[in-house]
């Protein structure tokens, strides 16, 4: 029996608006599943679009849908999957205690998977000596070191970014020397049994959406936002680790990318590639037994109607 909703999909497919409308239909509350929207001051580049959480009715009335796990930490901190799982479980439990419907909305695959499949995460301390030894090594050398210790790559995203690769080596070395790492402390897990809706568009439509949204964000002041964050004391390297908009704009502001036209071109391609990786992750979740009901492409209103029709036809819903 279902007692929650998840709305997932790649970037630029309108999942936030869809999730908010589903929440509004059942007087629910949204739990964001976005790895960059947890940070304060990352507004334009992360696409918080907080106006989406207010719905205007035909009679002029406005519905404000509560949201959680947006603007919960500051940039110097490296928010991780364990942080997210712990805080999301707390938010879901609180929403349930108020007898409201939790609606998890987002596109960060590991965050979603951690909630839906209930990861048992491990707690490994930072190994400063190991990190000193690894400083200066290339990504290929680090990948080889991970393979030597672990023997097989369980998660290929570990080798895409340097900080993830270093952390993977750290965990692998700990487990090699100490045995299985201890599970991270976790609050009591809530009773979380979601019906899961997936939403996306054909690839050409998604690419158009990505370009239109990127133009809008640049016009809204995304470059100025990144400069302001850096001016506040956040180093370029930290901004680059956030990926996509923050990485490429940081490189533009440092002169690595020579022009705004080049910035737009490179960033649009990178976001398109990211959307493809998101869809690959969701297919991987399905192969692991997660049932995702994919809605037909259409307007938010059309997809909402599909979702509500599916919900109304289900007999195993505790919150109808």
């Amino acid at each position: 029996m279902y007692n929650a909703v998840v709305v997932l999909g790649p970037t630029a497919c309108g999942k936030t608006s869809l999730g908010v409308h589903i929440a509004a239909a059942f007087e629910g509350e949204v739990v964001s599943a976005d790895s960059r929207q947890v940070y304060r001051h990352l507004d334009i580049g992360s696409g918080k679009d907080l106006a989406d959480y207010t719905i205007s009715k035909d009679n002029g009335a406005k519905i404000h849908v509560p949201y959680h796990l947006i603007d919960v930490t500051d940039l110097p901190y490296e928010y991780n999957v364990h942080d997210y799982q712990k805080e999301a479980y707390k938010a879901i439990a609180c929403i349930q205690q108020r007898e409201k419907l939790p609606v998890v909305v987002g596109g960060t695959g590991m965050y979603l998977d951690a909630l839906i499949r209930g990861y048992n995460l491990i707690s490994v301390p930072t190994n400063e000596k190991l990190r000193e030894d690894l400083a200066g090594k290339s990504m290929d050398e680090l990948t080889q070191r991970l393979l030597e210790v672990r023997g097989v790559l369980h998660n290929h995203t570990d080798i895409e970014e340097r900080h993830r690769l270093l952390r993977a080596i750290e965990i692998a070395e700990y487990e090699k020397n100490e045995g299985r790492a201890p599970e991270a402390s976790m609050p009591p897990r809530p009773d979380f049994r979601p019906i899961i809706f997936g939403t996306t568009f054909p690839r050409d439509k998604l690419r158009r959406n990505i370009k239109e949204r990127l133009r809008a964000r640049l016009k809204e002041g995304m470059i100025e936002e990144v400069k302001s964050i850096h001016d506040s004391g956040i180093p370029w390297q930290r901004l680059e680790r956030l990926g996509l908009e923050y990485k490429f704009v940081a490189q533009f502001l440092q002169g690595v990318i020579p022009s705004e036209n080049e910035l737009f071109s490179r960033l649009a391609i990178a976001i398109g590639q990211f959307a493809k990786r998101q869809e690959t992750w969701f297919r991987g979740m399905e192969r692991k037994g997660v049932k995702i009901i994919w809605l037909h492409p259409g307007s938010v209103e059309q997809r909402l109607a599909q979702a509500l029709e599916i919900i109304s036809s289900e007999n195993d819903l505790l919150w109808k």
Side-chain angles (χ1 to χ4, degrees), residues 114-160:
L115 281 189
I116 294 167
R117 296 201 299 122
Y119 284 12
N120 290 317
L121 295 169
I122 58 177
S123 179
V124 173
T126 301
N127 187 334
E128 298 294 349
K129 175 65 168 60
L130 175 63
R131 296 212 171 200
E132 289 176 11
D133 293 342
L134 298 176
K137 292 188 179 296
S138 69
M139 290 290 285
D140 287 341
E141 289 173 320
L142 293 174
T143 300
Q144 185 59 39
R145 173 69 174 268
L146 179 60
L147 285 170
E148 289 171 358
V149 180
R150 183 170 284 171
V152 63
L153 287 177
H154 301 298
N155 185 358
H156 283 269
T157 60
D158 284 342
I159 64 173
E160 293 176 359

Side-chain angles (χ1 to χ4, degrees), residues 100-120:
K100 300 294 186 180
L101 174 69
V103 181
V104 179
V105 182
T108 300
M110 191 170 287
Y111 281 14
L112 290 160
D113 207 18
L115 281 189
I116 294 167
R117 296 201 299 122
Y119 284 12
N120 290 317

Side-chain angles (χ1 to χ4, degrees), residues 260-273:
E260 284 197 36
N261 285 339
E262 182 74 10
L263 169 65
F264 178 88
S265 177
R266 289 194 198 181
L267 186 47
I269 291 171
I271 297 172
Q273 293 169 337

Side-chain angles (χ1 to χ4, degrees), residues 214-215 217-224 248-249 251-253 256-268:
L214 179 55
R215 288 192 186 95
R217 289 183 179 178
L218 287 167
K219 186 176 292 187
E220 288 169 21
M222 186 169 69
I223 293 174
E224 291 76 10
F248 282 81
V249 173
Q251 290 178 346
F252 167 72
L253 290 170
V256 177
I257 297 175
S259 68
E260 284 197 36
N261 285 339
E262 182 74 10
L263 169 65
F264 178 88
S265 177
R266 289 194 198 181
L267 186 47

Side-chain angles (χ1 to χ4, degrees), residues 31-264:
V31 179
S32 172
D34 188 293
S35 62
R36 298 186 302 174
Q37 291 186 8
V38 297
Y39 293 105
R40 300 180 189 96
H41 310 301
L42 269 63
D43 300 326
I44 300 172
S46 72
K48 284 176 185 168
D49 299 328
L50 297 182
D52 285 349
Y53 292 88
T54 299
I55 297 175
S56 298
K57 306 295 286 185
D58 292 338
N59 62 4
K62 293 185 182 296
I63 298 174
H64 301 283
V65 175
Y67 57 82
H68 305 264
L69 295 189
I70 293 177
D71 291 338
V72 296
T73 191
D74 291 307
L75 253 188
Y77 183 69
E78 297 271 1
Y79 201 86
N80 56 47
V81 180
H82 171 237
D83 293 324
Y84 177 78
Q85 188 189 42
K86 179 173 63 176
E87 296 303 319
Y89 279 154
K90 285 182 182 177
I92 290 166
C94 288
I95 294 168
Q96 290 174 334
Q97 287 169 7
R98 292 193 295 273
E99 298 184 347
K100 300 294 186 180
L101 174 69
V103 181
V104 179
V105 182
T108 300
M110 191 170 287
Y111 281 14
L112 290 160
D113 207 18
L115 281 189
I116 294 167
R117 296 201 299 122
Y119 284 12
N120 290 317
L121 295 169
I122 58 177
S123 179
V124 173
T126 301
N127 187 334
E128 298 294 349
K129 175 65 168 60
L130 175 63
R131 296 212 171 200
E132 289 176 11
D133 293 342
L134 298 176
K137 292 188 179 296
S138 69
M139 290 290 285
D140 287 341
E141 289 173 320
L142 293 174
T143 300
Q144 185 59 39
R145 173 69 174 268
L146 179 60
L147 285 170
E148 289 171 358
V149 180
R150 183 170 284 171
V152 63
L153 287 177
H154 301 298
N155 185 358
H156 283 269
T157 60
D158 284 342
I159 64 173
E160 293 176 359
E161 297 180 2
R162 188 177 185 86
H163 72 289
R164 289 188 179 183
L165 186 47
L166 288 169
R167 182 58 177 163
I169 294 170
E170 204 165 50
I171 292 171
E173 291 280 2
Y174 185 98
E175 292 184 333
K176 176 183 176 183
N177 297 324
E178 306 292 336
R180 168 71 180 174
E183 290 187 5
S185 59
M186 184 66 59
R189 295 172 187 261
D191 180 19
F192 181 61
R193 290 169 279 119
I195 184 169
I196 304 169
F197 293 113
T199 184
T200 188
F201 288 114
R203 192 56 50 82
D204 59 342
K205 166 68 172 171
L206 204 56
R207 281 196 292 263
R208 287 197 300 273
N209 286 1
I210 287 168
K211 289 182 178 180
E212 289 172 8
R213 191 182 67 174
L214 179 55
R215 288 192 186 95
R217 289 183 179 178
L218 287 167
K219 186 176 292 187
E220 288 169 21
M222 186 169 69
I223 293 174
E224 291 76 10
E225 175 179 89
V226 177
K227 183 178 185 304
S228 175
I229 294 169
H230 173 67
D231 290 346
S232 74
I234 303 300
W236 293 123
Q237 294 87 343
R238 180 68 183 95
L239 286 163
E240 290 181 14
R241 287 204 300 275
L242 293 166
L244 296 177
E245 291 87 351
Y246 294 96
K247 173 183 177 180
F248 282 81
V249 173
Q251 290 178 346
F252 167 72
L253 290 170
Q254 294 173 85
V256 177
I257 297 175
S259 68
E260 284 197 36
N261 285 339
E262 182 74 10
L263 169 65
F264 178 88

